[in-house]
Amino acid sequence: MIKRTHIIVLVGLLLIGHFGFSQKVLLPFDRVTSQDAMRQLYESDSIIHLSFKPLLLDKSGYDTLISRTNSRFTQKKYNSWASRKLFRENLAVLKAEDFYMSIDVVMNLEGGKDLSNTTGKTLSTNTRGVLIQGNITDKIYFRTDFYETQSYFPTYMDSMIASSGVVPGQGKAKSFKTGGYDYPMVTGIVNFQATKNVNVQFGQDKMFIGNGYRSLLLSDNAAPFLFLQAGVNLFENKLNYHTNWASLQTLNKVHGPSGGDDLFAKKQANFNYLSFKPNAKFEVGLFEGVMWERWNEYTGSQNFDPVFLNPVPFLTTAIKSNDTLVNSLIGFNLFYKPLIHTAFYGQFTHGVQGGGSGFQMGTKLFDVLGVEGLNFQLEYNHVGEGVYGTKNNYTDYFQFNQPLAVQQMENFSEVIFIGNYRFKRVLVHFKAALANVNNDAIGTASINNYDANVGYLFNPITNLMVNMGVRYRDHSITGNTNWVYFGVKTNLRNLYYDF
């Protein structure tokens, strides 16, 4: 649980005087925004650490990324208020001296069918929400969004939700009418730039460490969680360090204090990432994730351990290696860019208590064969047994019953190919994720997921688009899903339904 003293420290920092550095903004790491943004960052000779996401950028740099993407694909000028709001700008902007705030509507209105399901069930998602973000002076960046959703999913998604109680990557699932789900999701974050080299963040959100489609260290696969983060960069940004104190939840209910409402049992986590980037081409990072048991049904609440506050990487793992109330994950992340539009990446992860390991290898190619907007990605992931947990719900590598790393968790190997092409406002996407899984419940299975879609992008600020496509899933034991869909959405989140 995040301690009150942490919040007091944060408020105290907000009272520090004005230092006069640039406004900051967090770059969304959804697949649409990151396609051209990453291409531009690859082309840069500046030392920018690309593996810890969301990236914290100067607002001027962020505006330049968006502007260059617009000029590359959509050079048309829009003069009327309506056309600017639809194709180019935020819905509403409030400006004053040392204050900037934008307000946008977010949505996902999708309909479809599973052609493999003979019942004729209609599949749909109805998401409405709002996104608010902005800056106060050049020291504070804030962002919050709220999503309210009702959905009807295909059978394989129903099975996952029934076993976990949560819609993957989002919120707790409540029954909605017959066979549907109602679920909210809220995120919010405040970034305070204490000095040129130090920033502090407090909020509830997701993170991603790595350069692949999956992350074996920490990904945005699970629901958002509460955290306090401190970041520092040294030696002209060649050395970056992020340390996080997080409060996670299980779906096990415990009796509230003084006869109050029941609460979900919580656990704590530390996520520490130290990265070194001597030049624009090479980056290496060391990762530590530590899960702390805070409650169980036999002994109740655990006493607070002050070692949880330790910000020094790997010290907690060394001290608590034999502690049954702690579960640690360590690993490293590599990135190498030999050519301006070509990069190789990889990860290694190891469960300290479980003794298992996993690794990732991959490559990204931008503007393939000189074709503007044609990008490829190829990735291989392999994870053995005993990496992410001890099968103890209070120390496993889960948030809200969802894996904090890869959806398949353990005992699997997977090959992923992704192809994207953009021509002006038209986006074409194809993905194949081919996995072999050894599951205790059903034995060995092959699970192949394919996703092909085409979309028309209206507004790159919120990624407002219309799109249609098909998600085809071939499971060697439970059968096939042939999910065709179409809809209108603001594509600002990564959701992983390919399990």
Side-chain angles (χ1 to χ4, degrees):
M1 183 178 179
I2 300 293
K3 285 294 184 181
R4 185 179 300 174
T5 52
H6 294 159
I7 301 176
I8 293 172
V9 169
L10 179 62
V11 172
L13 285 172
L14 294 177
L15 299 177
I16 296 175
H18 185 82
F19 285 96
F21 28 78
S22 353
Q23 290 180 325
K24 299 292 183 180
V25 64
L26 292 171
L27 176 69
F29 54 101
D30 62 89
R31 307 299 170 194
V32 176
T33 302
S34 62
Q35 280 297 311
D36 201 64
M38 281 298 167
R39 175 194 63 81
Q40 294 182 57
L41 293 173
Y42 278 25
E43 293 174 349
S44 173
D45 291 330
S46 301
I47 295 178
I48 303 172
H49 293 247
L50 301 175
S51 300
F52 191 94
K53 301 175 178 72
L55 300 181
L56 183 65
L57 302 176
D58 290 344
K59 190 175 187 305
S60 59
Y62 169 81
D63 291 340
T64 299
L65 290 177
I66 300 300
S67 175
R68 287 177 177 174
T69 297
N70 288 339
S71 62
R72 190 185 205 208
F73 294 109
T74 57
Q75 296 181 3
K76 184 177 179 180
K77 296 186 181 298
Y78 299 95
N79 297 318
S80 71
W81 180 90
S83 62
R84 291 199 313 272
K85 297 302 175 183
L86 179 62
F87 292 106
R88 190 72 83 184
E89 298 178 355
N90 298 103
L91 178 61
V93 173
L94 303 176
K95 288 183 179 180
E97 185 177 358
D98 290 333
F99 179 81
Y100 174 91
M101 184 173 75
S102 63
I103 304 172
D104 290 287
V105 171
V106 290
M107 70 185 75
N108 182 11
L109 308 176
E110 182 179 287
K113 290 274 190 181
D114 177 5
L115 301 182
S116 302
N117 189 327
T118 57
T119 66
K121 175 184 177 181
T122 297
L123 309 178
S124 65
T125 291
N126 179 7
T127 299
R128 298 88 55 211
V130 62
L131 166 65
I132 301 172
Q133 58 184 329
N135 296 89
I136 302 173
T137 71
D138 54 6
K139 300 170 73 67
I140 298 173
Y141 165 78
F142 62 90
R143 193 203 73 230
T144 184
D145 56 24
F146 171 79
Y147 295 87
E148 176 62 30
T149 304
Q150 293 79 42
S151 291
Y152 294 88
F153 289 118
T155 301
Y156 85 97
M157 289 282 291
D158 288 341
S159 299
M160 171 63 77
I161 295 168
S163 65
S164 67
V166 179
V167 178
Q170 298 171 88
K172 186 177 184 301
K174 297 184 294 184
S175 296
F176 178 73
K177 295 184 178 179
T178 303
Y181 305 96
D182 187 324
Y183 51 99
M185 191 177 84
V186 180
T187 72
I189 191 167
V190 175
N191 178 80
F192 173 67
Q193 200 66 32
T195 73
K196 180 181 178 181
N197 303 97
V198 177
N199 72 286
V200 179
Q201 293 181 13
F202 178 72
Q204 176 169 294
D205 208 344
K206 302 183 180 187
M207 303 173 197
F208 188 99
I209 295 177
N211 297 279
Y213 176 74
R214 311 279 193 203
S215 173
L216 307 187
L217 304 176
L218 178 64
S219 85
D220 55 340
N221 177 71
F225 54 84
L226 186 68
F227 67 89
L228 175 67
Q229 178 189 116
V232 60
N233 67 82
L234 301 171
F235 310 116
E236 298 179 326
N237 205 37
K238 291 180 180 178
L239 189 69
N240 272 200
Y241 181 56
H242 295 86
T243 183
N244 287 270
W245 300 271
S247 176
L248 310 183
Q249 286 192 161
T250 72
L251 280 185
N252 294 335
K253 283 197 171 182
V254 300
H255 293 302
S258 304
D261 294 338
D262 289 350
L263 306 172
F264 291 119
K266 295 185 181 297
K267 53 188 176 182
Q268 295 171 327
N270 299 121
F271 302 117
N272 301 317
Y273 186 67
L274 176 68
S275 60
F276 175 62
K277 191 163 189 175
N279 53 55
K281 291 188 175 184
F282 178 74
E283 180 181 334
V284 60
L286 301 176
F287 173 79
E288 177 191 39
V290 183
M291 311 299 293
W292 297 77
E293 182 175 306
R294 292 295 297 127
W295 184 92
N296 68 58
E297 60 267 39
Y298 305 108
T299 62
S301 296
Q302 305 295 333
N303 293 328
F304 177 76
D305 192 328
V307 178
F308 171 72
L309 300 177
N310 164 53
V312 180
F314 304 107
L315 180 60
T316 299
T317 296
I319 294 173
K320 296 292 183 178
S321 59
N322 296 317
D323 193 329
T324 59
L325 302 181
V326 173
N327 179 39
S328 295
L329 181 75
I330 59 175
F332 64 80
N333 179 77
L334 293 173
F335 172 85
Y336 178 59
K337 185 187 68 174
L339 301 171
I340 193 168
H341 287 152
T342 302
F344 297 95
Y345 59 88
Q347 291 184 337
F348 175 81
T349 185
H350 176 72
V352 175
Q353 278 72 24
S357 300
F359 68 91
Q360 175 188 85
M361 300 183 297
T363 184
K364 284 183 177 179
L365 306 172
F366 291 92
D367 289 354
V368 177
L369 300 177
V371 179
E372 242 182 37
L374 179 62
N375 308 321
F376 290 157
Q377 182 174 359
L378 182 64
E379 179 174 307
Y380 177 75
N381 298 300
H382 174 83
V383 179
E385 186 176 4
V387 178
Y388 295 110
T390 57
K391 297 185 179 179
N392 172 355
N393 190 46
Y394 304 108
T395 60
D396 57 16
Y397 208 64
F398 276 65
Q399 150 68 355
F400 228 48
N401 277 9
Q402 302 164 90
L404 282 164
V406 287
Q407 184 67 265
Q408 305 291 4
M409 285 304 290
E410 296 184 349
N411 277 341
F412 81 96
S413 58
E414 176 186 49
V415 175
I416 300 173
F417 172 77
I418 301 174
N420 293 287
Y421 177 61
R422 177 171 177 176
F423 177 75
K424 296 184 177 180
R425 294 184 179 273
V426 177
L427 309 177
V428 180
H429 169 82
F430 174 79
K431 180 186 67 187
L434 315 177
N436 289 308
V437 181
N438 187 356
N439 187 294
D440 290 339
I442 61 175
T444 302
S446 63
I447 307 173
N448 299 326
N449 284 275
Y450 305 89
D451 186 2
N453 63 69
V454 59
Y456 183 86
L457 181 66
F458 285 99
N459 193 326
I461 296 294
T462 58
N463 291 334
L464 175 65
M465 63 170 62
V466 294
N467 76 331
M468 61 184 299
V470 57
R471 302 180 183 105
Y472 183 77
R473 181 178 185 263
D474 178 16
H475 194 294
S476 62
I477 296 177
T478 61
N480 299 334
T481 301
N482 191 5
W483 182 359
V484 296
Y485 60 91
F486 62 93
V488 181
K489 63 180 178 179
T490 49
N491 199 338
L492 291 172
R493 301 180 293 165
N494 297 322
L495 298 175
Y496 301 89
Y497 295 165
D498 50 355
F499 49 83

